[in-house]
Amino acid sequence: MISLRYHVVSIAACFLALAVGVVLGSTALNGTLLSGLAGEKTDLGNQVADLQAQRNALNARLADADAFAGSMGPKVVAGALDKRSVVLVTTDDARPADRDALKTLIGQAGASVTGEVQLTPAFADPDKADQLRDVVTRLQPAGSKFPTAGDSGTLAGALLGSVLLLDKTTAKPQSSGEELAAALGGLADGGFVKAGQDVKPAQLAIVLTGAPATGDGAGDRAATIARFATQLDRTGAGTVLAGDAGSAEGTGALGVVRADTAATSILSTVDNADTSAGRVSTVLALKEQLDGGAGRYGVAGNAQAPAPGVTAPAGN
């Protein structure tokens, strides 16, 4: 007769055998799994190393190409803007090195820079749009006509265009020296601009900006700069809005312009002004503006070609 103790021992032996089987099975499985993961880790490490090598090679090629563009740039633009004049407008995030390099290249193209005006962060601040609009309206030169559009960017473009740019037909000032001083002084007092010394009207303008706007109101800030540059273009003989590749994104000033067919039909944009090649394109785009043309240039997906007169690669 089988006793209760026999049943207990049998059941305990079964559980012990099951536990040993689980341990042995999991040990074998873990070994296989760990071996597989180690192999995948090695493969991924090799892929990362290959990608880093490719990136380094591409960066080296880009550096060589930019160095070549820098050395050839003065020859490419020589005489393109002979005896012309350019006023330089920058946003607060534009890189000083890009600005200075552009000024040098403009001189090598035969033109002179008549002055510099920097737009402060308040200029594009949506919370200060009403204040900017009031200041601009108060400073409107006698006899000048402002557009009916009520946004602050367009109105500021009309004001600064009327005092900073020469008449596109007669090449004569559109306002007096006193009105120019009053406009720059009033905007500076309001905290909207910082003007350089002895700014004078010019035939052409470059608006140099930086990275795309971020945070609350980013789209509104980008739109203000875009509308400002577009109206500046309408007021004089030509304007180019230039920035880096990020500025061609949706919350960048160039991106806003390039999404507006009415703006792109008159205003030229260059999205790689942080490179030697892009600065050459900016100067050539000014020449194109003088000739009545406009285009979207650079390396961003919404550019039509690398530079004026250069056909874009297939698929761009």
Side-chain angles (χ1 to χ4, degrees):
M1 182 174 180
I2 301 174
S3 66
L4 178 61
R5 181 177 179 180
Y6 177 85
H7 282 295
V8 171
V9 171
S10 298
I11 293 172
C14 289
F15 277 110
L16 179 60
L18 179 61
V20 170
V22 169
V23 170
L24 291 176
S26 64
T27 301
L29 178 61
N30 283 342
T32 303
L33 179 61
L34 291 174
S35 177
L37 289 175
E40 290 183 8
K41 179 181 178 182
T42 300
D43 291 341
L44 289 173
N46 291 335
Q47 291 179 36
V48 169
D50 289 343
L51 290 173
Q52 288 175 336
Q54 293 177 28
R55 182 197 63 187
N56 292 338
L58 288 173
N59 286 339
R61 291 174 62 183
L62 287 172
D64 288 344
D66 199 50
F68 178 78
S71 64
M72 295 299 295
K75 298 179 181 178
V76 173
V77 304
L81 299 175
D82 190 34
K83 298 179 181 179
R84 304 293 183 175
S85 54
V86 181
V87 65
L88 190 56
V89 181
T90 61
T91 59
D92 66 292
D93 59 349
R95 285 177 285 273
D98 297 340
R99 176 203 63 202
D100 294 342
L102 259 177
K103 287 172 60 179
T104 298
L105 199 61
I106 289 169
Q108 292 166 336
S112 60
V113 175
T114 62
E116 298 177 41
V117 176
Q118 183 186 69
L119 308 180
T120 69
F123 184 91
D125 186 348
D127 293 335
K128 297 190 176 181
D130 289 340
Q131 181 183 347
L132 175 58
R133 196 161 35 238
D134 291 342
V135 171
V136 166
T137 303
R138 176 169 50 82
L139 295 171
Q140 181 174 357
S144 64
K145 294 181 179 180
F146 281 10
T148 55
D151 68 273
S152 59
T154 298
L155 290 175
L159 172 63
L160 286 178
S162 67
V163 297
L164 291 178
L165 294 175
L166 302 174
D167 185 273
K168 67 180 74 176
T169 303
T170 65
K172 294 182 178 180
Q174 302 183 62
S175 58
S176 67
E178 290 77 12
E179 289 170 328
L180 168 59
L184 293 180
L187 289 170
D189 290 343
F192 297 110
V193 306
K194 296 178 181 178
Q197 296 292 323
D198 196 26
V199 178
K200 296 179 181 178
Q203 293 171 298
L204 302 163
I206 293 176
V207 179
L208 180 64
T209 187
T214 58
D216 294 340
D220 291 335
R221 294 198 298 277
T224 297
I225 301 301
R227 292 166 182 163
F228 165 77
T230 302
Q231 185 59 38
L232 206 63
D233 190 22
R234 292 191 178 102
T235 311
T239 296
V240 175
L241 174 61
D244 59 22
S247 64
E249 296 175 4
T251 58
L254 275 75
V256 174
V257 170
R258 289 178 175 180
D260 183 352
T261 54
T264 56
S265 66
I266 61 170
L267 177 65
S268 292
T269 53
V270 178
D271 63 46
N272 58 337
D274 55 336
T275 67
S276 297
R279 291 188 284 272
V280 170
S281 296
T282 301
V283 173
L284 295 179
L286 278 179
K287 176 63 168 63
E288 182 182 55
Q289 284 277 307
L290 276 174
D291 296 336
R296 309 181 309 278
Y297 306 112
V299 296
N302 50 14
Q304 70 185 69
V310 178
T311 303
N316 191 22

